[in-house]
Amino acid sequence: MADIALVTGGTRGLGAAIARSLKARGWAVASVYHGNDGAAELFRRETGISVFRWDVADEEACREGVAAVEAELGPVSTLINNAGITRDATFHRMSWAQWREVLSTNLDSMFTMTRAVIEGMRARRFGRIINISSINGQKGQVGQVNYSAAKAGVIGFTKALAQENAARGITVNAICPGYVDTDMVAAVKEEVRAGVIAGIPVGRLGDPEEIAEAVAYLASPKAAFCTGSVLTINGGQYIANG
């Protein structure tokens, strides 16, 4: 069976590193993006990876997008739910729009994207679903009630879906990265960034390739007995209990 991987948020930052890593290991990869055509085209030219544009919070767009990917590459065997945004504000100043936008992109997309591939995986009795959560979904974060709630929801989604599909040869796991050296973190004010690094015991930000290596393992045949897990990769910043 061909290894076809679909990576959401897959043309920049962590998603781009994941897509590159899987391609280097022999997967045919489709990278999904939503907002930055220039970055997506540059990524496509540099990597040769197919790129597709749709909104992962839109159920119909996801269904149609997955159909387009499968028409070009074949049935999706590996789904990496990586797409995510922030709209930070302390809760007493947070708008409904800030709440809904983050929950739609970061949590509703777990349903819209996974629902579009799960029946095919069940029919083929094989699949790998890897959901990118966050350290802040485990410990919470000031100014990120929306983001923390969504990323905590990803963990619950992962554990329940893993139990439902284990007998069908489908593994479902989550990764909770800490602060990784991506555009999202680079956009933080320098003094805030320095404070973040000071709180990481290993003394640096994570490298996107370090997270991508973990994704590649969970996507591989060697991880067939690993499902419902939550892998924490944060340089010791937060020690999760279970």
Side-chain angles (χ1 to χ4, degrees):
M1 182 181 295
D3 291 317
I4 312 297
L6 193 161
V7 185
T8 67
T11 61
R12 294 189 294 164
L14 180 54
I18 292 168
R20 290 174 189 270
S21 177
L22 292 175
K23 183 185 179 186
R25 288 167 166 81
W27 268 265
V29 181
S31 285
V32 177
Y33 76 103
H34 186 215
N36 193 324
D37 291 325
E41 177 58 21
L42 178 61
F43 174 80
R44 186 194 64 78
R45 289 201 308 266
E46 289 179 344
T47 64
I49 292 172
S50 297
V51 300
F52 298 81
R53 180 175 181 172
W54 72 76
D55 181 358
V56 295
D58 183 325
E59 183 183 8
E60 184 177 355
C62 291
R63 190 167 54 248
E64 293 175 353
V66 168
V69 169
E70 294 193 331
E72 179 174 322
L73 300 177
V76 173
S77 61
T78 302
L79 171 65
I80 298 92
N81 284 313
N82 169 71
I85 62 171
T86 58
R87 298 291 183 267
D88 295 351
T90 51
F91 185 72
H92 65 285
R93 292 192 172 99
M94 185 176 291
S95 68
W96 174 247
Q98 288 172 311
W99 171 268
R100 274 307 326 154
E101 192 171 355
V102 169
L103 268 289
S104 292
T105 298
N106 296 12
L107 184 57
D108 289 353
S109 63
M110 296 295 122
F111 179 92
T112 56
M113 284 302 308
T114 307
R115 190 67 182 81
V117 302
I118 193 69
E119 291 187 53
M121 289 180 174
R122 286 175 62 85
R124 294 186 296 274
R125 303 188 72 86
F126 179 85
R128 296 284 186 267
I129 299 169
I130 302 157
N131 302 318
I132 306 300
S133 180
S134 168
I135 183 176
N136 292 339
Q138 296 175 301
K139 72 175 186 61
Q141 177 61 36
V142 172
Q144 288 195 329
V145 169
N146 49 3
Y147 184 84
S148 296
K151 291 299 189 178
V154 170
I155 294 172
F157 175 90
T158 297
K159 292 181 176 182
L161 192 68
Q163 293 177 64
E164 288 186 4
N165 290 280
R168 287 281 178 169
I170 300 166
T171 65
V172 189
N173 295 287
I175 295 177
C176 290
Y179 289 88
V180 178
D181 193 8
T182 63
D183 291 345
M184 185 181 290
V185 174
V188 174
K189 292 180 180 179
E190 186 174 343
E191 61 269 25
V192 176
R193 181 183 169 99
V196 167
I197 294 173
I200 301 173
V202 301
R204 64 174 175 85
L205 297 172
D207 190 306
E209 281 70 29
E210 292 173 313
I211 312 302
E213 287 292 316
V215 171
Y217 165 70
L218 291 174
S220 74
K222 295 179 181 179
F225 198 59
C226 183
T227 194
S229 70
V230 179
L231 179 57
T232 297
I233 309 176
N234 62 33
Q237 187 176 6
Y238 179 75
I239 310 299
N241 183 20

